[in-house]
Amino acid sequence: MIASKKLLFLGGGRSNINAIKSALELGIKPYVVGMEGNYPGYKLAEKIFIANIMDKYDVMKAIKDEKIDGVLICCSDRAIETVGFLNDHLGLNGITESAAKRCNNKYEMKQALFNKGVNTAKFMKLEKEADLKRALELLTFPVIVKAVDLQSSKGVYICKDETELMENYCKSISESNLTYCIVEEFIEGRELGAQAFVCNGKIVFVLPHGDIIAHEGKSTVPVGHYAPLDCSEKLRKRIAEEAGKAIDALELNNCAVNIDFIVKDDVPYILELSGRVGANCLPEMTGYHYGMDYYKMIVAVAVGEDPFSYFTPNMKGKITLVKMINSAETGVLELLEYDKDMLPYVSFFVNKGDKVSSFKNSNDCIGEMLVQGDTMEECEEKIRKFYEKLVIRFK
């Protein structure tokens, strides 16, 4: 019986909120662990434990007297290794610690993908300056230097010549917590993604989706997604094939999977993937696309229950578009008014009195929205009408 099972969420922030709500609807008791603070997830929790979710031993100590049925984190890789550690040591369902480590280390991930013949950019490990000369023999400019242990494009630099390669190698190493990084060929093409789900070694679905990217300085920031992806059936099939091979390569099982692709000449290359659901409203997009509550699948598999009973696709042929809501101004929020009935789903992360920053990266988003329509134009028109009635005022 799924009711009364105890699911430990790592973190009480907004990324876990909708999963906690779905767990409550199923009768699952949400336990939440995190640092002290006024986090929204704590208000919904059956029990709260204070610990650093990045420290697996600290979390284990905090919950040592509890019988936990599952562990989960949504939309973030920050503590995915802690999830794997707890799963392994408590005999729980979900991602293993070894698989989680591959997700969090770009070199180990790329090595696993390469060994399984997955389409991915050529790469090389850089441990010392002498490795740069060997890299020049393997790759041609432009190339990308990447810190292997950082997220959100941190420590990632495009290099157009030897001078930039040396400079950015040093930058990447200085920003990383490790003593090495990787360099890989730069593939210029269309960036897109996929949400997938794997249970008992079986791929339940692979949903390719379009990504809407904003360029802020030298970084790219995803600000929206849509499904279904506008592409040929041939490409859709190849994306599913590469996703399956990559999931197998990283030994991901009993979890949601978030995958980043780039497509060149109708060939999909995997940039990276992780054993958790994507961020920026991707769980909601996936659920509305299939006509189901995707979070219920995710929490069910986490507590060792059959997720297939919640996978009840009821697609209506609509385009599902999600977008982040950003502010062009910086200030203290004084007034926020909007018509929540205009859209199938809209959520704001800020309240009166909160400090809001003008948009530079994903951390500056103040909300998210979802619309559906027969065309992208219809979806964009619905968003435009929503913004017409949105009132945001700062002190």
Side-chain angles (χ1 to χ4, degrees), residues 47-48 77 105 137 159 169 178 201 226 282 318 342 361:
K47 283 188 179 182
I48 300 169
D77 293 321
N105 184 301
E137 297 173 1
C159 312
Y169 161 74
L178 300 176
Y226 61 89
L282 279 168
K318 299 281 187 180
M342 289 185 70
N361 57 55

Side-chain angles (χ1 to χ4, degrees), residues 319 374-383:
I319 293 173
D374 293 324
T375 64
M376 283 293 285
E377 290 75 18
E378 181 184 345
C379 291
E380 293 288 1
E381 178 63 15
K382 289 179 179 180
I383 289 176

Side-chain angles (χ1 to χ4, degrees), residues 106-161:
K106 291 181 176 65
Y107 171 69
E108 293 185 13
M109 177 190 299
K110 294 282 290 188
Q111 194 68 47
L113 296 176
F114 176 79
N115 290 342
K116 285 287 186 175
V118 179
N119 274 353
T120 190
K122 294 177 184 176
F123 73 101
M124 181 178 161
K125 186 178 184 181
L126 300 178
E127 298 182 90
K128 51 188 180 297
E129 289 186 13
D131 292 333
L132 298 175
K133 292 183 178 180
R134 288 181 54 232
L136 294 176
E137 297 173 1
L138 176 67
L139 307 171
T140 57
F141 289 106
V143 296
I144 306 178
V145 170
K146 294 182 177 181
V148 300
D149 60 331
L150 303 180
Q151 312 297 327
S152 303
S153 298
K154 294 177 182 176
V156 176
Y157 300 98
I158 297 176
C159 312
K160 298 177 182 177
D161 53 41

Side-chain angles (χ1 to χ4, degrees), residues 256-267:
V257 183
N258 180 61
I259 312 172
D260 293 331
F261 284 92
I262 193 158
V263 175
K264 180 180 180 180
D265 299 329
D266 224 30
V267 177

Side-chain angles (χ1 to χ4, degrees), residues 178-369:
L178 300 176
T179 58
Y180 63 92
C181 62
I182 61 171
V183 59
E184 64 180 36
E185 65 176 326
F186 176 73
I187 299 176
E188 188 169 3
R190 179 187 181 185
E191 292 185 41
L192 52 90
Q195 299 303 297
F197 194 87
V198 56
C199 178
N200 295 330
K202 177 183 178 182
I203 307 295
V204 182
F205 68 80
V206 175
L207 175 62
H209 55 78
D211 292 345
I212 301 170
I213 305 295
H215 295 273
E216 297 295 326
K218 295 184 178 180
S219 299
T220 58
V221 183
V223 294
H225 309 278
Y226 61 89
L229 179 68
D230 47 335
C231 69
S232 67
E233 283 304 312
K234 179 181 178 182
L235 177 56
R236 195 182 308 277
K237 183 178 179 181
R238 291 204 65 178
I239 289 171
E241 289 173 350
E242 293 303 317
K245 287 161 59 178
I247 289 169
D248 178 60
L250 266 61
E251 298 181 345
L252 300 175
N253 196 16
N254 294 319
C255 60
V257 183
N258 180 61
I259 312 172
D260 293 331
F261 284 92
I262 193 158
V263 175
K264 180 180 180 180
D265 299 329
D266 224 30
V267 177
Y269 297 85
I270 287 189
L271 297 175
E272 56 186 64
L273 69 159
S274 187
R276 50 83 179 173
V277 71
N280 297 331
C281 215
L282 279 168
E284 290 75 16
M285 182 206 74
T286 302
Y288 273 87
H289 172 78
Y290 283 119
M292 63 176 191
D293 185 342
Y294 185 32
Y295 284 112
K296 288 182 179 176
M297 286 186 69
I298 295 170
V299 300
V301 79
V303 296
E305 294 291 333
D306 179 13
F308 289 94
S309 58
Y310 305 102
F311 185 57
T312 54
N314 184 25
M315 293 174 286
K316 299 177 181 178
K318 299 281 187 180
I319 293 173
T320 302
L321 170 66
V322 296
K323 280 195 172 182
M324 307 310 293
I325 303 173
N326 306 309
S327 173
E329 300 179 50
T330 295
V332 176
L333 185 64
E334 183 177 41
L335 179 67
L336 173 62
E337 293 181 348
Y338 62 97
D339 186 350
K340 65 179 182 180
D341 296 325
M342 289 185 70
L343 304 177
Y345 171 78
V346 60
S347 176
F348 280 89
F349 315 140
V350 292
N351 297 294
K352 183 178 179 180
D354 290 345
K355 184 178 179 180
V356 172
S357 299
S358 60
F359 178 71
K360 295 182 182 63
N361 57 55
S362 296
N363 293 328
D364 297 323
C365 295
I366 62 172
E368 58 190 17
M369 67 174 79

